[in-house]
Amino acid sequence: MNQVLNPATEETIAELPEATVEEADRAVAAAKAAFPAWRAVSPPDRGRLLRRLATLVEETSEELAQLETSNVGKPISDSRAEATMVADVFHFYAGAVDKHHGETIPVSGGIDMTFREPLGVVGLITPWNFPMNIASWKLGPSLACGNTVVLKPAELTPLSAIRLGELVLEAGIPEGVVNVVVGPGRTVGQRLVEHRDVAKIGFTGSTEIGRGVMQAAAGTIKRVTLELGGKSANVVFADADLERAAASAPSAAFGNAGQDCCARSRILVERSAYDRFLDLLVEAAGGLRVGDPRDESTEMGPLISAEHRERVSSYVNGNVVFSGNVPNGSGFWFPPMLVEASNDDRVAREEVFGPVAAVIPFEGEEEAVRLANDTPYGLSGSIWTEDGARALRVARAIDSGVLSVNSNTSVRVSTPFGGFKQSGFGRELGLHALDGYSEVKNLYIATG
Ligand code: NDP
């Protein structure tokens, strides 16, 4: 039995049977059987079904948000925003169904055209930090393109995915099109990756497991999209609006208790503004409200598990310049922390995936870019400056998939999201995601 916990209270909130490899096979078989009929549904009708799903998510959003908060420990205001995003994602892909089309290409002797064909059965493997959101990022384009799906949520946080599966059926999407299998990654997940009837794996998780997924997918030349870890830089130049940059930096590093692949966990600050910025940053971090995730004013909740808390605490051995307060008693609490560091320190090199940010000085634009890029990852990042030309120069020079200027946002429904380097490849969200869930077919017709 899988005991599903509330990380803020350590109470068991659900007990679920663990799916076996045989059940994963049955889910794949159901998805395979449902594929011919689903791909034949006309694009406008597929769009209508996705729109109905989006509306149901809107109507159920408070329940979904409460479920996510109790299972992940994230503040209820975050969960509500995430539920809204899930609905927006399905609305977006409902409207995208008939906007992802082929082309005609001028050739000699005939007519050449391309089609976007679905792949077949796709396996979607998701992590525990944004379970409902990331499931929707993969379900939306998969279904829009006419694929059928086996979704495997992380065992720690399966509840919102199960509820989404129910809403899929309620929306009128036929049985077998979306199958949710709750089981361990090393057995059920691995089976999906190796299964010869699964055409593609959409994976979000750690770089380490992603590497294994890529290797296991080679056996069947499976398509893979990998959204992996990050170690993103928040680059603050001396000419920036330091107050704004400092006010935004704590939530960029500590949002979702730092369990965010886009966390700006390296705060790079130009030396001439370093002392002033650090004062502002420590003051802003002190204002972060850590506590009961059900409280509307809470900004940071607990970590996901006791085991993960152990791992996060192993990174704290440097010069701690700020450590926040956390509630006493049960719950996997860990305080937000700022650590002065060099970019060579372990805390600045590895993905902590907790509320520990490294503050690192730099001297001038060239060093800022060098340090920002001195990491195996390349997922997101921010640049704070009032010099527009410099913002563009630095943005072009940083090897990262998602960057913001004078902002710490990373994710929008309509814009591509994904990594460079060991943060993975392929893009989610926006119209780009549709490319990852379809094949291009070329057809030539001789007219001579
Ligand atoms: P993991 O890599 O441990 O797990 C991710 C998913 O993969 C889970 O569903 C897990 O199942 C499954 N899994 C584990 N082993 C295998 C296997 N051998 N074959 C197939 N699937 C397997 O990541 P976490 O859940 O710990 O999530 C945190 C990580 O996710 C962080 O590194 C973070 O950076 C990354 N992430 C990346 C994002 C991005 O878009 N780039 C977004 C969010 C997170 P189970 O846990 O049930 O065993």
Side-chain angles (χ1 to χ4, degrees), residues 125-130 134 137 152-156 183-186 189-190 193 203-207 209 213 227-230 260-261 351 353 379 417 423 428:
I125 301 178
T126 53
W128 47 256
N129 57 343
F130 292 93
I134 293 176
W137 300 0
K152 195 213 88 63
E155 276 219 294
L156 289 170
R186 65 182 184 286
Q190 185 78 19
V193 179
F203 174 87
T204 299
S206 60
T207 294
I209 301 287
V213 166
E227 300 292 354
L228 309 176
D260 180 349
C261 52
E351 185 179 44
F353 224 55
L379 188 55
F417 176 77
S423 289
E428 301 207 285

Side-chain angles (χ1 to χ4, degrees), residues 95-164:
V97 169
D98 55 3
K99 292 167 194 67
H100 186 241
H101 39 62
E103 54 203 339
T104 55
I105 301 171
V107 291
S108 62
I111 296 170
D112 195 280
M113 61 185 90
T114 63
F115 295 89
R116 301 284 189 158
E117 304 286 10
L119 299 164
V121 178
V122 298
L124 308 179
I125 301 178
T126 53
W128 47 256
N129 57 343
F130 292 93
M132 156 168 86
N133 261 34
I134 293 176
S136 75
W137 300 0
K138 297 182 193 305
L139 282 169
S142 299
L143 296 176
C145 290
N147 302 286
T148 55
V149 168
V150 179
L151 168 63
K152 195 213 88 63
E155 276 219 294
L156 289 170
T157 58
L159 301 185
S160 54
I162 294 171
R163 190 70 186 104
L164 275 182

